[in-house]
Amino acid sequence: MSIYVYGIAASSHPALPEGMGGVGDPPRPLRVLKEGELAAVVSDAPEDLRPKRRELLAHQNVLSEAGAGGCVLPMRFGSVAPDDKSVTGVLAERAEHYKERLRALDGRVEYNIKANHVEEAVLHQVMAESPDIRGLAEANRESGGGSYDDKIRLGELVAAAVKAKEADDAAALQALLERAADSVSVGPESTGWLANVSFLVDRETAEDFLAAVEQARKDLPHLEVRINGPLPPYSFVEPGPTEPAGTVASGTDTGVG
């Protein structure tokens, strides 16, 4: 039976509630594997584990419950090891790295920010800022819509201008929010979003970060800004030294929001 790993904590971390379960149907009982000053929250791994909503929520619920008692380094959904010895071996090999991360992330949460353009608003901006686009659009209107080639050219100019604004607006949004965060992690590009950025925030000053998000929405009204959090700091755990073959492997993110 392979082992499912939820997170890593200090060996002195408070125990989880008696009888609490994790992923699987029925939920697999949780247990704690200790190695020196570190511990891993684990369960047996279901053979047919899939990133379904129920399983994602079960994973996140374990981390939320464990995180209520102190700092936990969250593993991504689908982190599986061959056996208990493989897990404790990784804890031993990466002990210094994990202890440093526990210190650095203590009392901190992650907020993920995604943004895209409000189409009508950004088109107005592009027209206002580009004399060439404005002039060609006006010429097309005056000629009853313009020729096929003129329409194509206008579309290409608009598309290029919008694409350039995506990069500028992503940078502007990050600059406004990083002032209220301890650290920043830029996520992978995703279809439909010009920005996908995670921010590490002190739990006690989270209201300041949320206020910064609201201010950014006012300062950049042509952006749709979505926020997901507070989350366990998935984006800030960092993998550490190269893992031995056949040990813990990260899987799918637990982004269920």
Side-chain angles (χ1 to χ4, degrees), residues 60 76 109-115 173-174 177 181 183-190 193 195-201 209-210 213 217 224-236 253-257:
Q60 193 156 306
R76 301 276 180 173
V109 293
E110 176 176 333
Y111 285 91
N112 176 255
I113 299 292
K114 289 184 173 68
L173 178 62
Q174 182 173 326
L177 299 182
S183 189
V184 178
S185 176
V186 178
E189 293 184 7
S190 56
W193 302 106
N196 175 21
V197 186
S198 290
F199 297 85
L200 185 66
V201 177
F209 180 79
L210 297 177
V213 173
R217 285 171 169 156
E224 176 191 3
V225 179
R226 296 189 183 182
I227 182 169
N228 187 21
L231 302 168
Y234 295 106
S235 302
F236 301 92
D253 195 347
T254 59
V256 296

Side-chain angles (χ1 to χ4, degrees), residues 98-150:
Y98 287 138
K99 287 189 288 186
E100 184 278 328
R101 287 289 84 198
L102 284 167
R103 291 191 295 269
L105 300 180
D106 190 24
R108 288 166 174 78
V109 293
E110 176 176 333
Y111 285 91
N112 176 255
I113 299 292
K114 289 184 173 68
N116 60 14
H117 279 139
V118 177
E119 184 174 358
E120 185 174 347
V122 77
L123 289 177
H124 279 305
Q125 276 206 352
V126 164
M127 293 287 287
E129 294 171 359
S130 173
D132 289 343
I133 292 176
R134 199 164 58 249
L136 182 55
E138 182 61 30
N140 284 356
R141 280 195 297 271
E142 291 176 353
S143 62
S147 67
Y148 174 79
D149 287 343
D150 286 339

